[in-house]
Amino acid sequence: MECNSTLLTALAAVASATKLDVNQSAVLTELVCGYDGRISDAMSGISDAVTGTNTMFLLFSAYLVFIMQAGFGMLCAGSVRAKNALNIMLTNVMDAAAGAISYFLFGFAFAFGGGADSNGFIGNDNFAQSRFHADEPFARYEMWMFQWAFAAAAAGITSGSIAERTQFTAYLAYSTFLTGFVYPVVSHWVWSPSGWISAFNTGNMFLDVGMVDFAGSGVVHMTGGIAGFMGAWIEGPRIGRFDRTGGTQEMKGHSGTLVILGTFLLWFGWYGFNPGSLTVIVPVGKALNQAVVARTAVTTTLCGGAAALTTLFARRWMAGHWNVTDVCNGLLGGFAAVTAGCSVIEPWAAILLGFLAAWTLIGMNRLAEKIKYDDPLEAFQLHGGCGLLGVLYVGLLAKKSFLMEAFPKVEGTPYGLFYGGGGKLLAAQLIGAICIAVWTAVMMGILFYVLQIFDLLRISPDEEAAGLDRTAHGKSDEGKGGPTLLVPDVQGTSPAKQDTEATV
Amino acid sequence: MGVLDADGECFTAIRDELVKLESQGVNGTLLATHLCDLASSLVSSTYGLNTFFVLISAYLVFAMQIGFAMLCAGSVRAKNTMNIMLTNVLDAAAGALSYYLVGYGFAYGKDGNKFIGSGSFAMHDFKSDVDYRNWIFQWAFAAASAGIASGSIAERTQFTAYLVYSTFLTGFVYPVVSHWVWSPYGWLTALDPEKEHLFKSGMVDFAGSGVVHMVGGIAGFWGAFLEGPRLGRFDVRGRKQEIKGHSGTLIVLGSFLLWFGWYGFNPGSQVAIADQVSAIIVARCAITTTLCGAAAAVTTLFAKKLLVAHWSVADVCNGLLGGFAAITAGCAFVEPWAAVLLGFLAAWTLIGMNALMEKFQYDDPLEAFQLHGGCGLLGVLFVGLLGKEDYVEQVFSRGNFGGLFYTGSGRLLAAQLVGAIVIILWTSLLMGICFALLKAFNLLRISQEDEIAGLDLTRHGGSNYPGDDHHPAKLYPPTALGQAADSNAKNVYSSKV
C-alpha cells in the first residue's frame, strides 16, 4: 500500500492524537512511508529501538554497579592501616574476579535458573549459562552482568568486617561460597519470579504482596553485613583494639583521601545500583518505567544527603569535631537503607529515612563496642543495621501508587502501614529479614567456624603486627613507607619546599 | 505527553480517515490499530531514551564532585585535606536538601515571574519522570557551583561558614541566576521561541559558563577577599610565596575525573537525545568541549615553559579546566576551530588573571575565581562573537541572532554583556553580604594557631594521613595539641614493626 494522501492524513491524525512532537511525527511518517506501508517492518524497527535502549540501560547500570568495586576498594584501603592496604584491595579485586567465575558456574543458576518454573527455595537451571537466550528475561547476558555486579557487591561488603587479620585462603573460601551459593539463594527467594517470598511471584504471592526489596537492602546489604559479622565475631577483634581494662582503642585508617574517593565512587555507582534495578527504562503501555527510574535516582540522592548531614551534626555534638570518615560512613548507611524502598517511597520519606539511618549507624556502633565486636569498616553495623532499617521502613511507608508502578501489583495489594495499607507488607518485610539473617548466619557461621577449626581463618599475631602486605603480599621495605597509593609527592620535609611538579 | 491505548483516543481519531481506505481493500481497523501502536511505541522509546540520557548526564555531572574533591585535596597542604574534602561531600549532600526544599522551586517553579521561580517547593507537585530527571540534573549543577566557591576559601575558613554559604548559594543565589537564563520565564533567557527576548536575542549560555562558573567563582572571590590571604602567602613586603599542594597525583586524578564528568555537563545540557537534531547538538558539544580543553592545556604547557622554564603539571591541569569553563557557554554554538581558538584564549586569560590577582594580594588556593570567574566570563562573551547563527537557530528554534562575526549584529554580544554584568552584581551583592556578616560575627576565618596546625588536626579529629612518618603533617607544632597527637600516632598506627 503506498503512502497516498489518505494515509498521510491518517498519520497526521495519529500524530496529533498521540501528541507526538514535530520530530516524532516526521519519524512516524518516514517509517510508514519508507516501508511502503509495511507496518510490521516499521513496528519491528521501533521494537528494536526499545530493546536497544533497555539493554543499554541495563548494561550501563551494571557498569556503574561494577565501579562500586573501585569505590569499595578505595574506601577499604583508606580505612585500614597502611600495612594492610594491599591485602584489602586484593580481596576486592578477587571478589569481582573469583565472584565472576563462581557466579557463572553456579550462582546465577541458583538465583534465577528456571525463571518462573523452578521451585521456591532455589533456582535449578542454566548452570554455566548453558541456555542463555536473548528472549529470556532471566537467562540473557545483560541480566547476568547486572546480577553478577550485585553478587560481587555483597561479597565485598563482608571483606570489610574481617579486614586486617584474615588469611587470604579464608577470603577466597568465603567469597566463593557467598557469591556461588548463599547470596544467590537469598536473591532467588526475593527476586526470582518463583521465589517463595518474592514480590514478583504473581502465582503464589506471600501474604498477597511478597517482600518488597527493590535493589537489595535485605538481599545484598543484610546478607553481606551478616556474613561479615560471623567472620569478624568468630575470629575476634584486631590486636590492640580492646585493651585489658575494656577500653576501646581507635584504629584510624591511613588515608582520608582514599575514604572520600571511595565514598564518592560508591555514591556514583549507586545510581546504577538503585535506579538500574528496574532493569528497563522504556515505558510500556501504562507502565511509566522511566518515571520510576528517575524518581529512584532522586530518593537515593536525598536519603544519602540527609544521612550525611545528620551524621555531620550528630558527630559534631558527640565528638566535638566535624568528622570526615563518620560522615562518609553515615552517607553510605543512608544509601544502604534507601536501597529497599527507593522506588516506592516519597522524596520526603527518603529524607526522613536518611535521618534515621544516621542514628541507626551511630547506635549500632555503640552496641558493637559494648559487645567487643571489631569491624574495621563498620560493615555489619552499616550494611546489616541500616539494611534492616531500610527493609522494615518499606513496610511502613511504601506508597500504593508507587508500589503499583514499580512492581507487578494489582488493585487491592497491601502497601505501607502509615498510608493505610495494612500490616501485611510490614509482616512480609519482617519475615523476610529474619529468614535472610538466619540463613546467612547459619551458612556463613558454619563456613567460618570450619575455617577456624582448620586454622585457616585468622593470621598469627606476628603477622598481624608486621602487616599483611609484607607477610602475605610481597611488599618490601624499600621505597617510601606509609601509604601505598596516592603517596603525597613530597621530596623535602619543609612545607614550603613541597614539590608537585614533574621534571621532565 | 502520555502513552495511549491502541483502541482509545488514537483509534477514534483516525477512524474516519481510514474508512476512506476501505474502498481500496484495506482493513482500516487493523491498520488503525497498527498505526496507533507504532506511534505509541515511538513515544515510549523516545521517553525511555531521553530519560536515560538525562540521568546518565546527571550522574556524570555528579562524578565531577569526586573530581573536584581530588583536585582540591591535591592542591592544598596535607594538613587541610580532610577539611576541603568534607566541604565537597557537604556541597553535594547539603545541596541536595536545600535544592529539594527551595532551590529547584526558585529556579524552575512555574508560578513565579521573570526574576524568580515559585512553586514545586519540596517537590510537592512533581508528577512525571520529566520533573524528577530535571531535578537530579539541575541539582548536580547547583552542587558544582557551590563546590567551585569552596576552592577559593580553602585552608583558612571555619566549617560553619562553609555550611552557611553553601546552603545560601545552592538554595537561593544560584537558583535565581539559573531562573533568569534557563527557565523559559526568565528575563534573560533565549528559550521559548514565542516570547520577547532581551535585545531580540536573550543570553545564550548553554551549560553555564555564566550561570555556574561565574557565580561560583565570584562567590569564592568575595569569601577569599574578605577573609584575606593564607598566612605566609604574601610576605611582609608583599611578595608572593608559593604554597604548593601536597599531591600532584590527586590533582591529575581530579582533573581527569572532571574532564570525564564534563561530558555530562556540556552535551547533557541538551536534555534530550532521541531525535536527530538533539543528537547532532549533543555530539557537537562533546567535540567542542574536548577541543577547547585540549587547546587550553597545550597552550598552558608551552606558555608556562616560557614563563617559568619547566613543564608544570598543576598549571596544565588548571589550564585544561579553564578551557572547559570557557567552552561551557558556547559548546553547542561554536565551530570546532573556534573551540580551539577559545582554548588558546582561555589559557592566557587564566595566566593573566593569576598575574592580576597577585598584584592585589588576592589568595585563592584553587585559582577558582581566576579560572571559573575569568574563563567563565571569557566564554560568555566569546559566544557573542563567534556563536554560529545556524547552530544557534538549531538549538533555540528561532533565527536571526548570532555572534558578531557571523551576523554583523551586536545584539547577542550585548545580551551576553548585560547578562554577565548582572550576574556579577547579583552574586557580589548577595555573597558579599553573606561573607561580610559571617566575618562580622567572627564565623569566617579560623585563628592563626589553627591555621598553622592545620584544619584536620584542629577541627576534624586528626590528620588525613595518620602514621605516615615521611609526611610533613607529622611535623606538629610544639603545642599541647600537637604533642598529644604526635604521641598517639607513635603508639597506635606506626606502620613499622
Side-chain angles (χ1 to χ4, degrees):
Chain A
M1 180 185 58
E2 0 141 352
C3 243
N4 58 31
S5 62
T6 311
L7 190 54
L8 286 171
T9 319
L11 285 169
V14 168
S16 117
T18 46
K19 298 189 184 50
L20 301 187
D21 65 33
V22 164
N23 290 317
Q24 291 166 318
S25 178
V27 171
L28 179 65
T29 309
E30 258 172 61
L31 267 174
V32 173
C33 298
Y35 283 112
D36 267 339
R38 286 198 305 274
I39 308 287
S40 56
D41 287 342
M43 284 298 283
S44 90
I46 298 235
S47 163
D48 289 343
V50 169
T51 309
T53 306
N54 280 333
T55 303
M56 180 170 58
F57 171 68
L58 190 57
L59 280 176
F60 194 81
S61 300
Y63 307 152
L64 281 176
V65 178
F66 169 71
I67 208 122
M68 292 167 86
Q69 294 295 320
F72 204 64
M74 295 300 104
L75 177 72
C76 283
S79 299
V80 302
R81 289 161 295 180
K83 64 187 184 182
N84 295 314
L86 284 176
N87 169 263
I88 193 74
M89 289 192 293
L90 183 60
T91 69
N92 277 297
V93 175
M94 295 316 293
D95 285 329
I101 305 300
S102 65
Y103 203 69
F104 165 74
L105 288 172
F106 309 103
F108 189 80
F110 287 142
F112 298 106
D117 301 325
S118 73
N119 67 66
F121 175 75
I122 192 170
N124 57 11
D125 194 15
N126 246 319
F127 291 89
Q129 294 177 352
S130 53
R131 284 198 300 182
F132 267 28
H133 192 275
D135 291 338
E136 292 290 323
F138 282 104
R140 52 193 170 116
Y141 293 111
E142 56 271 30
M143 182 60 79
W144 187 94
M145 284 297 300
F146 188 66
Q147 296 297 340
W148 156 69
F150 272 65
I157 290 168
T158 311
S159 68
S161 302
I162 56 177
E164 302 210 79
R165 59 215 191 281
T166 308
Q167 295 184 37
F168 204 72
T169 315
Y171 275 113
L172 291 174
Y174 102 75
S175 178
T176 311
F177 187 51
L178 188 67
T179 326
F181 181 64
V182 180
Y183 166 82
V185 166
V186 176
S187 63
H188 181 83
W189 297 348
V190 185
W191 287 339
S192 163
S194 54
W196 69 275
I197 202 175
S198 168
F200 303 99
N201 193 339
T202 42
N204 190 8
M205 195 81 78
F206 183 75
L207 289 182
D208 298 330
V209 64
M211 179 183 187
V212 169
D213 187 2
F214 189 68
S217 294
V219 179
V220 180
H221 295 284
M222 280 180 70
T223 305
I226 289 167
F229 174 82
M230 298 311 296
W233 182 250
I234 288 174
E235 69 180 356
R238 289 168 288 178
I239 294 173
R241 178 74 168 126
F242 299 108
D243 65 28
R244 266 192 306 248
T245 62
T248 314
Q249 285 295 320
E250 199 167 355
M251 285 186 171
K252 290 195 180 171
H254 84 279
S255 170
T257 313
L258 290 178
V259 168
I260 292 256
L261 175 62
T263 303
F264 263 131
L265 282 171
L266 284 166
W267 185 340
F268 180 57
W270 232 294
Y271 286 125
F273 203 94
N274 285 2
S277 288
L278 191 64
T279 73
V280 286
I281 193 167
V282 179
V284 177
K286 290 199 168 62
L288 299 176
N289 294 325
Q290 82 289 15
V292 177
V293 171
R295 195 177 60 232
T296 304
V298 171
T299 52
T300 302
T301 308
L302 291 175
C303 189
L309 211 53
T310 307
T311 309
L312 179 77
F313 288 109
R315 293 299 293 162
R316 172 80 173 87
W317 175 53
M318 293 164 69
H321 60 259
W322 312 99
N323 190 306
V324 174
T325 324
D326 287 340
V327 166
C328 288
N329 281 319
L331 178 75
L332 297 174
F335 289 139
V338 80
T339 296
C342 43
S343 60
V344 299
I345 63 177
E346 297 190 79
W348 66 261
I351 293 179
L352 172 61
L353 180 60
F355 175 80
L356 295 172
W359 286 109
T360 301
L361 181 57
I362 289 171
M364 288 293 286
N365 279 331
R366 276 281 172 83
L367 187 63
E369 211 177 300
K370 276 216 165 16
I371 63 175
K372 303 267 180 289
Y373 167 75
D374 178 30
D375 191 320
L377 271 289
E378 303 177 6
F380 167 64
Q381 298 90 301
L382 201 161
H383 298 273
C386 296
L388 176 62
L389 170 72
V391 165
L392 297 177
Y393 197 76
V394 173
L396 299 172
L397 279 161
K399 186 171 169 167
K400 182 176 172 197
S401 58
F402 291 173
L403 192 59
M404 291 178 70
E405 274 176 7
F407 288 86
K409 297 283 168 221
V410 297
E411 224 11 90
T413 179
Y415 51 100
L417 181 65
F418 290 164
Y419 283 99
K424 280 189 177 170
L425 180 56
L426 182 60
Q429 302 299 97
L430 193 56
I431 291 170
I434 291 172
C435 291
I436 290 175
V438 170
W439 165 259
T440 310
V442 168
M443 288 285 124
M444 297 309 291
I446 291 175
L447 175 87
F448 281 119
Y449 192 62
V450 166
L451 284 168
Q452 180 168 77
I453 289 178
F454 285 99
D455 219 11
L456 289 169
L457 185 55
R458 188 158 181 159
I459 59 182
S460 71
D462 290 336
E463 275 185 280
E464 193 168 331
L468 280 156
D469 291 3
R470 284 174 66 209
T471 61
H473 297 289
K475 181 177 165 202
S476 73
D477 259 341
E478 289 152 36
K480 294 192 173 97
T484 49
L485 273 196
L486 303 179
V487 178
D489 292 338
V490 174
Q491 307 302 325
T493 52
S494 154
K497 289 198 175 60
Q498 289 171 37
D499 194 330
T500 58
E501 295 165 342
T503 43
V504 168
Chain B
M1 277 204 290
V3 173
L4 302 170
D5 295 325
D7 44 33
E9 268 177 63
C10 177
F11 189 86
T12 323
I14 64 173
R15 192 169 40 206
D16 295 334
E17 287 304 317
L18 292 178
V19 159
K20 298 178 196 161
L21 283 173
E22 304 240 322
S23 62
Q24 294 174 40
V26 170
N27 183 341
T29 312
L30 196 58
L31 185 59
T33 312
H34 283 321
L35 285 178
C36 291
D37 279 346
L38 198 58
S40 126
S41 298
L42 193 57
V43 170
S44 300
S45 131
T46 314
Y47 242 90
L49 208 43
N50 281 334
T51 302
F52 181 44
F53 175 67
V54 173
L55 287 178
I56 290 185
S57 300
Y59 306 156
L60 282 173
V61 178
F62 170 71
M64 293 167 85
Q65 293 295 319
I66 318 177
F68 203 63
M70 295 299 107
L71 177 73
C72 283
S75 301
V76 302
R77 290 161 293 182
K79 64 186 183 181
N80 294 315
T81 36
M82 289 250 208
N83 172 260
I84 194 72
M85 290 191 299
L86 186 60
T87 69
N88 276 297
V89 176
L90 266 326
D91 284 329
L97 260 42
S98 65
Y99 204 67
Y100 159 80
L101 286 171
V102 291
Y104 185 81
F106 287 146
Y108 297 103
K110 295 189 175 56
D111 302 325
N113 54 45
K114 288 187 183 191
F115 173 72
I116 191 170
S118 174
S120 292
F121 295 117
M123 298 181 184
H124 71 89
D125 56 359
F126 269 27
K127 283 190 292 290
S128 71
D129 71 311
V130 177
D131 294 327
Y132 289 110
R133 78 189 193 208
N134 282 346
W135 186 91
I136 198 163
F137 188 64
Q138 295 299 333
W139 155 70
F141 274 65
S145 187
I148 291 168
S150 71
S152 304
I153 55 177
E155 300 211 80
R156 60 216 192 278
T157 309
Q158 294 187 40
F159 202 72
T160 314
Y162 275 113
L163 290 174
V164 170
Y165 102 74
S166 176
T167 311
F168 186 48
L169 189 69
T170 329
F172 184 66
V173 182
Y174 165 83
V176 167
V177 176
S178 64
H179 179 79
W180 297 342
V181 186
W182 288 339
S183 161
Y185 305 104
W187 70 275
L188 265 175
T189 191
L191 292 167
D192 193 354
E194 314 283 312
K195 58 180 258 193
E196 287 276 317
H197 300 95
L198 183 68
F199 306 144
K200 294 203 182 45
S201 161
M203 180 181 187
V204 166
D205 187 0
F206 194 69
S209 293
V211 181
V212 179
H213 295 281
M214 281 178 71
V215 169
I218 290 163
F221 170 80
W222 284 103
F225 179 68
L226 286 171
E227 67 180 359
R230 287 168 289 177
L231 288 172
R233 177 75 168 112
F234 297 102
D235 67 19
V236 133
R237 270 177 293 190
R239 279 178 320 202
K240 71 154 186 188
Q241 289 292 320
E242 190 122 32
I243 298 185
K244 292 193 181 173
H246 84 282
S247 170
T249 314
L250 291 178
I251 288 177
V252 174
L253 174 63
S255 301
F256 264 127
L257 283 169
L258 283 165
W259 186 343
F260 176 60
W262 233 292
Y263 288 122
F265 204 94
N266 285 4
S269 290
Q270 176 61 9
V271 291
I273 194 164
D275 61 86
Q276 230 174 2
V277 171
S278 289
I280 292 173
I281 294 169
V282 167
R284 183 187 316 134
C285 283
I287 299 287
T288 52
T289 301
T290 308
L291 290 175
C292 188
V298 173
T299 307
T300 308
L301 179 75
F302 289 108
K304 293 303 276 185
K305 179 78 162 83
L306 198 66
L307 293 170
V308 299
H310 61 257
W311 313 101
S312 165
V313 172
D315 286 331
V316 165
C317 287
N318 280 321
L320 175 76
L321 299 175
F324 290 138
I327 190 65
T328 297
C331 47
F333 313 109
V334 303
E335 296 191 80
W337 65 262
V340 173
L341 171 63
L342 180 60
F344 175 80
L345 295 173
W348 286 109
T349 301
L350 182 56
I351 289 171
M353 286 293 286
N354 280 332
L356 184 65
M357 299 325 285
E358 208 177 289
K359 284 216 164 12
F360 294 125
Q361 309 230 330
Y362 167 78
D363 178 30
D364 192 319
L366 270 291
E367 303 177 8
F369 168 65
Q370 297 91 302
L371 201 161
H372 298 274
C375 297
L377 177 61
L378 170 72
V380 165
L381 298 176
F382 193 78
V383 179
L385 297 170
L386 279 162
K388 187 169 174 175
E389 204 179 343
D390 294 339
Y391 294 164
V392 172
E393 182 166 359
Q394 200 178 42
V395 172
F396 292 107
S397 305
R398 65 183 165 98
N400 209 19
F401 70 122
L404 181 63
F405 293 153
Y406 285 96
T407 64
S409 158
R411 283 183 287 117
L412 177 58
L413 182 60
Q416 301 299 95
L417 200 52
V418 166
I421 290 171
V422 176
I423 287 175
I424 292 172
L425 289 175
W426 167 259
T427 311
S428 296
L429 182 68
L430 286 175
M431 297 311 291
I433 291 176
C434 179
F435 283 119
L437 279 173
L438 285 165
K439 183 171 173 177
F441 286 101
N442 222 357
L443 290 168
L444 187 56
R445 190 161 178 159
I446 59 181
S447 69
Q448 285 204 355
E449 295 88 24
D450 285 358
E451 192 170 332
I452 293 171
L455 280 154
D456 293 358
L457 277 180
T458 57
R459 274 129 208 285
H460 295 286
S463 161
N464 191 33
Y465 303 106
D468 177 7
D469 292 343
H470 294 263
H471 208 278
K474 278 280 286 183
L475 299 177
Y476 301 137
T479 62
L481 181 68
Q483 275 162 358
D486 199 38
S487 62
N488 212 14
K490 287 195 182 71
N491 289 339
V492 178
Y493 26 69
S494 166
S495 59
K496 297 196 169 46
V497 176

